Amino acid sequence: MEPARRDGQKRREALLDAALRCFAERGVLGTGIEEIRRAAGASPSSVYHLFDGLSGLTLALLTRTFERLFTHLAGRVLPTATAEAAVVALVDGHLEWILSHQDEGRFMYQAMALELGADTMDSLQARKAELLAPIVVHLSRFIDQGTLPQWSPLVFDVVLLGPSHESCRRFLAGAPLEPSWMRETLPRLAWQSVKPRRSRRTRT
């Protein structure tokens, strides 16, 4: 990598790290671009050279957060050999990462609740789909085997990770949920919601 490009990448990461610190301290809605710039020790010109203002910086930080989260999830899910193991790894992996990266998790949930604009959401959703693709391909093996239902990735996300997302949101907002309970209980509940049911034979 060329020195100028390497320096630009370092400045970009420094701004993203500063943004995460500011968002953790003040919340997404309570943070301005100037506060982030000062926290990073960056010049105004460098901020607008690297990002298109606060919305561009927020999108970049969201993208980096999803890249880190989905990389972790892929590392947990792809080695699994059964549908049950895959589902448990997916949900537990999500909980594990959020609970270990609470500032990023809190930022992610706050930012996704904002109206980011159609173009921003389209860009973000496209990147998320790209990151999720290896997991989707892996789960499709179990769909083909009949050990997972024939659902779309969106439906799997809602059913398997919906309770996990909600519990993480509430925990990060201060709700008295115990992380150990979350990790012991929610992955098993997710599997119970999708595991094959044996059909009973009709008696004659």
Side-chain angles (χ1 to χ4, degrees):
M1 184 182 292
E2 298 176 0
R5 185 177 178 184
R6 188 162 52 241
D7 289 344
Q9 184 64 25
K10 287 181 179 179
R11 287 196 298 271
R12 185 179 188 277
E13 290 299 312
L15 278 163
L16 293 177
D17 291 339
L20 182 60
R21 292 194 302 272
C22 290
F23 290 144
E25 293 171 2
R26 303 178 182 89
V28 173
L29 292 176
T31 302
I33 192 71
E34 183 63 17
E35 293 166 308
I36 296 171
R37 182 193 69 77
R38 289 198 301 266
S43 66
S45 60
S46 66
V47 174
Y48 287 95
H49 174 71
L50 292 167
F51 303 102
D52 184 19
L54 184 60
S55 61
L57 196 154
T58 301
L59 173 60
L61 184 56
L62 263 176
T63 301
R64 189 181 77 169
T65 301
F66 281 120
E67 288 171 349
R68 292 176 174 181
L69 171 58
F70 285 128
T71 297
H72 176 77
L73 292 180
R76 288 290 308 272
V77 174
L78 298 188
T80 59
T82 66
E84 180 177 1
V87 168
V88 169
L90 177 66
V91 179
D92 185 60
H94 174 262
L95 292 166
E96 178 184 37
W97 193 88
I98 296 293
L99 293 170
S100 299
H101 302 83
Q102 294 186 21
D103 286 346
E104 287 175 283
R106 190 175 291 107
F107 157 73
M108 180 181 72
Y109 288 124
Q110 289 181 7
M112 290 301 292
L114 301 176
E115 293 185 5
L116 298 174
D119 290 342
T120 297
M121 285 304 299
D122 287 346
S123 172
L124 188 61
Q125 293 300 333
R127 182 59 178 144
K128 285 177 65 178
E130 180 182 356
L131 293 166
L132 191 59
I135 296 174
V136 172
V137 170
H138 188 72
L139 293 182
S140 68
R141 296 171 47 200
F142 307 120
I143 294 173
D144 293 341
Q145 293 170 5
T147 51
L148 283 179
Q150 293 184 350
W151 292 345
S152 69
L154 176 60
V155 173
F156 273 114
D157 182 49
V158 170
V159 174
L160 299 182
L161 291 176
S164 178
H165 283 305
E166 184 63 19
S167 66
C168 286
R169 285 191 190 95
R170 295 192 180 207
F171 172 79
L172 294 173
L177 289 170
E178 178 56 48
S180 60
W181 175 87
M182 293 161 65
R183 294 189 65 184
E184 289 168 5
T185 306
L186 296 179
R188 306 309 310 178
L189 286 177
W191 172 243
Q192 290 296 322
S193 70
V194 295
K195 74 175 185 179
R197 302 296 196 269
R198 292 182 179 177
S199 59
R200 295 179 179 178
R201 293 181 179 178
T202 304
R203 293 181 178 179
T204 58

